Amino acid sequence: MRRGTNLPAVGGFNQAVVLDLIRRAPEGLSRVELADASGLSSQTVTNVCRRLLEGGLVREVGRVVAGPGKPRTILDIEPAGGYAIGVHLDPSFVTYVVVDLEGSVIADSRSRTPTEVRPKDVLVSMQRNIEGLVDSSGIERSRLLGVGIAAPGPIDREAGIVDDPPLLTGWHRVPLRDALAERLALPVALDKDVSAVAVAEAWSSGVTDAGVLYYGTGIGLGMIIAGEVLRGSTANAGDSGHLRVSDGGPLCRCGFRGCLGENSSPFTMTRAAARRGLLVAPASASDTIGVDEAYSRLIALAHDGVPEALEVVLRVADDVARGLVLVANLLDVPRMICAGPFWDRLASVGLERIRSAVAADPALVAPHPVRVDGTALGADVGAIGAACLVLDAVYSPRPAALLLRP
Ligand SMILES: [Zn+2]
């Protein structure tokens, strides 16, 4: 049985169909065009459009003369018709965004994840940050549609629970969705971070087939196939940590060496740099501030051309490239998009190396080129994707969204 989240459906099936058609037409659509495209009767389209206009979700943006008869009124999305909040919880950073009905970011903020990651402290801090962001952006609270949260896996999506994320110490089956919904009196949806990033890419760029490498405190994989984000049977798809990408590297907890997650994490890079005497290693992977600072230091040294620093970064670039090749082979996708809080710094030194290593990799069997890009959405990408979960519930005519009820 397919089940939805607790997000409310803003309207019925026909309304979602009409809204989605309007959203996908950059110049807007007339009622006649909407009837043609939706297969709905002109009377139904007229009724739906009246409700959308009354609800402030669409606006009339002009008229066009098309043959004999009355000029046709063009309808477009009213960006200020509704807003969604996105929260991206990474063990190192929590990012917040407010997006309008078109998915454009109108406000954002970022804070470090509290080092004492007791769930209650994180909840209090989330509530304060969300309310602060909403207040400062001057949005009417009645226009808030809901909150989406992107969290590290594993998650229990049905129950809205963040299960046991390896890098969030002290977290065990935290009912984040319902706890935040109660505090904010808003509907809340929860998704795995890699899926949220994939949602953001599909929304913003319209990409229909791509793998999305999430390069954060941990490393994961989002998958977009035929325009849909693949989530797997329990919404925990995308664990790419144990892809074997080399025959060396630190011993992984799976018992092997050469795993993508273990070889390429920012923490591993800082330890490799420390062994070469470039910096002092952070005490552990859960020392997120220490890892972040040491990682920045390593990247700065690589920019300065320090050979040992370059060696560390480029070795990881090669491992990441092999990981991208394995995924591109598996999914048969022409694009790999990379994102996450540590990606920009890696890319500033290693992106060209990653691209050339992918192109030259003898393991690349896909019968087409594989393009590697960084996200165009920057560090907000996970939070934008989380907010788009809420917008998806507004627009999606898919059956799963029809089940969305408070
Ligand atoms: Zn492993």
Side-chain angles (χ1 to χ4, degrees), residues 93-127:
F93 303 96
V94 191
T95 307
Y96 302 87
V97 298
V98 180
V99 305
D100 65 21
L101 211 47
E102 288 181 323
S104 303
V105 175
I106 60 159
D108 66 351
S109 71
R110 184 166 296 111
S111 58
R112 282 194 185 276
T113 306
T115 38
E116 286 290 313
V117 282
R118 280 182 310 187
K120 182 156 180 291
D121 295 345
V122 174
L123 267 172
V124 170
S125 149
M126 274 186 180
Q127 182 183 9

Side-chain angles (χ1 to χ4, degrees), residues 27-203:
E27 309 294 325
L29 290 172
S30 70
R31 288 172 179 79
V32 172
E33 289 167 320
L34 282 167
D36 281 349
S38 65
L40 297 169
S41 72
S42 55
Q43 186 57 49
T44 302
V45 167
T46 300
N47 291 342
V48 167
C49 290
R50 189 179 60 242
R51 282 203 302 276
L52 291 173
L53 283 163
E54 284 168 1
L57 297 176
V58 300
R59 56 183 172 166
E60 295 182 337
V61 291
R63 289 164 189 275
V64 291
V65 179
K70 282 197 304 183
R72 293 173 180 176
T73 304
I74 300 298
L75 298 165
D76 206 352
I77 295 294
E78 168 54 63
Y83 297 91
I85 294 162
V87 182
H88 176 198
L89 174 66
D90 179 272
S92 301
F93 303 96
V94 191
T95 307
Y96 302 87
V97 298
V98 180
V99 305
D100 65 21
L101 211 47
E102 288 181 323
S104 303
V105 175
I106 60 159
D108 66 351
S109 71
R110 184 166 296 111
S111 58
R112 282 194 185 276
T113 306
T115 38
E116 286 290 313
V117 282
R118 280 182 310 187
K120 182 156 180 291
D121 295 345
V122 174
L123 267 172
V124 170
S125 149
M126 274 186 180
Q127 182 183 9
R128 205 166 32 225
N129 277 286
I130 288 170
E131 286 174 346
L133 196 62
V134 170
D135 287 348
S136 66
S137 58
I139 296 166
E140 275 178 55
R141 211 183 142 86
S142 63
R143 287 280 172 198
L144 287 176
L145 298 166
V147 181
I149 307 172
I155 61 166
D156 181 340
R157 192 163 182 249
E158 296 266 313
I161 286 173
V162 176
D163 218 334
D164 235 342
L167 292 165
L168 281 171
T169 36
W171 281 52
H172 178 66
R173 291 196 66 75
V174 177
L176 189 59
R177 183 190 69 195
D178 292 355
L180 198 62
E182 194 177 314
R183 281 174 176 271
L184 294 169
L186 282 170
V188 178
L190 173 70
D191 208 350
K192 189 167 157 169
D193 48 13
V194 290
S195 300
V197 170
V199 167
E201 291 298 330
W203 249 82

